[in-house]
Amino acid sequence: MKKNVLLGLFIALGTLVNAQEISLKQELIDYGTIANGANGKRVFEIKNTGKKPLIITNVEASCGCTTPEVPKKPILPGKTGTLTVSYDTQRTGPFLKSITVYSNAIKEPRKVLKIKGIVKPAEETGENPYVEKIK
């Protein structure tokens, strides 16, 4: 009986060690000060540091002004995927929003990401948000 219990424990621990895990390059994106109507898209990089495919099952934003795009394919072990978040920059003023990511990761199946910044009226920043910036 003891051998069966110990064997089951070792199998369970082995599964955890070889499971999928989520790792992020950054958990907060700071937009800084941007003009009203500016590009509100930003990208979070998600890496699977485990040994099995990482599946993002759901992504929820804290309000309707933030729109996340759920990755459609599993992130393979050692690979990186992206989570694109769009903030509605037609709303002026400071913002701090959260995006909750649900996955099949063993240690952290729920991760909370944040975006923040300040949206100023275009005339205050001296920028024309409708003209693409050349870098």
Side-chain angles (χ1 to χ4, degrees):
M1 178 72 175
K2 273 186 175 180
K3 286 182 183 180
N4 289 340
V5 172
L6 287 174
L7 180 61
L9 184 59
F10 283 124
I11 290 171
L13 288 174
T15 302
L16 289 176
V17 171
N18 293 322
Q20 59 283 351
E21 287 305 329
I22 189 169
S23 173
L24 289 119
K25 188 174 185 178
Q26 60 190 65
E27 294 184 24
L28 169 71
I29 292 180
D30 188 349
Y31 284 58
T33 301
I34 58 175
N36 181 277
N39 183 352
K41 282 192 175 185
R42 300 295 185 273
V43 177
F44 286 96
E45 288 185 19
I46 302 171
K47 184 169 185 176
N48 180 356
T49 56
K51 305 256 188 240
K52 293 184 179 180
L54 176 68
I55 300 168
I56 306 299
T57 56
N58 193 25
V59 180
E60 295 175 354
S62 59
C63 77
C65 59
T66 307
T67 309
E69 294 177 27
V70 180
K72 296 183 182 12
K73 294 182 180 179
I75 303 169
L76 299 176
K79 300 295 181 187
T80 301
T82 58
L83 171 67
T84 302
V85 177
S86 297
Y87 178 73
D88 180 6
T89 60
Q90 295 298 322
R91 301 166 184 242
T92 57
F95 65 90
L96 175 61
K97 304 297 176 185
S98 62
I99 300 97
T100 305
V101 178
Y102 298 92
S103 72
N104 66 336
I106 299 300
K107 290 183 185 173
E108 292 183 277
R110 182 178 152 268
K111 288 287 267 191
V112 178
L113 311 177
K114 295 189 186 279
I115 58 171
K116 73 174 189 171
I118 301 170
V119 178
K120 296 273 187 176
E123 58 273 6
E124 284 185 30
T125 62
E127 295 180 21
N128 182 345
Y130 302 105
V131 175
E132 190 79 25
K133 289 184 180 181
I134 300 173
K135 292 186 180 181

